[in-house]
Amino acid sequence: QQAPIQLGDWLQNIFQELWKAVEEILQPHQLQPAGIRARHTRDMTLIERGCLVVLGEDGPNVSMVLGLEPTSSYEYTVSVTFWPPKDTYLPGKIQLSILNDEDQAVLEAQTTDDNEKIEMKLKGETGDRFAVRMSVEDVSMTEYFVLP
């Protein structure tokens, strides 16, 4: 298992190279209707970053946007949204999972050929660990995170 991404770094505007501003990875038409932007709520800020995920050498590509929103000094709402990187719809048959700290799925979805996006949300507290897994056939990618 790889080292988890410390989301506390994001609150300090420190981002791993893989995680880009959403404007760099999403298409212009995906930015407007979704309202993808940093926004302020109750003196706290929603931070969103995205990365392009390639599942295998010839596998489908998916843009993943992770949003981190503090709801108190130790509680957070996390949104994970999957977008097609070039087409209008996500590639079909991709299994998407949010895993708890024991690698057990707590949220799951599977793309179909007519999904424009899929969004999953979870809540957690400081120190909570979770992972996002994307898989298609026998290829998978898992990214681990720790809440600040």
Side-chain angles (χ1 to χ4, degrees):
Q1 176 177 330
Q2 67 192 41
I5 292 174
Q6 303 291 328
L7 292 175
D9 290 347
W10 289 23
L11 297 176
Q12 308 300 318
N13 286 322
I14 300 169
F15 305 101
Q16 296 75 13
E17 188 176 329
L18 173 72
W19 292 90
K20 310 283 186 202
V22 292
E23 294 82 7
E24 292 180 44
I25 67 156
L26 294 183
Q27 300 173 66
H29 74 275
Q30 293 170 328
L31 294 170
Q32 297 304 325
I36 300 285
R37 65 194 178 285
R39 68 173 186 263
H40 299 276
T41 57
R42 296 178 307 246
D43 300 323
M44 302 201 187
T45 302
L46 168 68
I47 300 168
E48 291 177 305
R49 300 298 279 191
C51 68
L52 179 66
V53 178
V54 180
L55 292 170
E57 288 183 28
D58 298 322
N61 298 342
V62 176
S63 296
M64 177 172 68
V65 173
L66 190 135
L68 175 68
E69 183 174 13
T71 55
S72 76
S73 61
Y74 64 94
E75 295 175 314
Y76 299 87
T77 297
V78 176
S79 62
V80 183
T81 309
F82 303 93
W83 296 88
K86 293 185 175 121
D87 300 317
T88 303
Y89 300 106
L90 285 163
K93 297 187 171 64
I94 299 176
Q95 184 68 34
L96 309 167
S97 305
I98 305 293
L99 312 175
N100 63 16
D101 59 353
E102 297 173 354
D103 276 349
Q104 295 177 339
V106 293
L107 294 170
E108 291 186 298
Q110 183 168 323
T111 62
T112 61
D113 293 333
D114 61 353
N115 292 127
E116 291 183 13
K117 69 174 183 172
I118 290 181
E119 183 175 17
M120 299 175 161
K121 288 193 174 198
L122 63 143
K123 294 183 183 289
E125 297 180 355
T126 297
D128 284 354
R129 295 173 177 265
F130 69 96
V132 177
R133 177 174 293 149
M134 293 181 286
S135 56
V136 60
E137 296 175 7
D138 59 345
V139 177
S140 71
M141 184 287 305
T142 305
E143 192 74 58
Y144 295 87
F145 301 90
V146 177
L147 287 175

